[in-house]
Amino acid sequence: QVQLVESGGGSVQAGGSLRLSCVASGDTGSSACMAWFRQPPGKEREGVALNIRGGYTYYADSVKGRFTISQDNAKNTMYLQMDSLKLEDTAMYYCAATEWSSYCSLASPWKYRYWGQGTQVTVSS
């Protein structure tokens, strides 16, 4: 079992930055892939960025060049640095983990077994 806890959300003006954190506990060694998803108000959950153990990262086109995913294995923490934030980045952000690298995809949130409770990001003009 893996427990995930996100933090770092908040309100920010367009163009600003936030850094989200996701602390993992439990059987963290079993997580082959960790990812960030978000769910804008009234919309479906969508993939933002993922990190496969070993360093491979992948981003949704909508955040490429603005967001950076990273992981500090010593602290069991995953980060999402969000720069140049836009109004459309407003959403509840979730971190997720799966034991199987073959399940690692931004298009398939249902393949992630472990989820955090989410942290709200609100971008205003």
Side-chain angles (χ1 to χ4, degrees), residues 7-94:
S7 63
S11 297
V12 64
Q13 287 191 322
S17 298
L18 281 175
R19 188 176 81 156
L20 306 183
S21 300
C22 173
V23 178
S25 60
D27 189 14
T28 57
S30 66
S31 297
C33 172
M34 295 187 71
W36 287 98
F37 288 83
R38 67 186 181 186
Q39 187 161 14
K43 297 185 179 180
E44 294 185 354
R45 194 166 296 190
E46 60 186 28
V48 176
L50 62 81
N51 186 3
I52 298 179
R53 188 181 294 274
Y56 176 81
T57 59
Y58 184 81
Y59 298 89
D61 288 343
S62 59
V63 306
K64 202 172 295 182
R66 299 188 298 120
F67 290 11
T68 304
I69 189 172
S70 62
Q71 222 164 318
D72 184 336
N73 293 325
K75 296 182 178 179
N76 290 328
T77 302
M78 177 175 68
Y79 301 98
L80 185 68
Q81 177 66 40
M82 306 186 295
D83 298 317
S84 303
L85 282 161
K86 302 177 180 180
L87 298 179
E88 52 264 41
D89 294 320
T90 294
M92 183 70 80
Y93 282 72
Y94 300 89

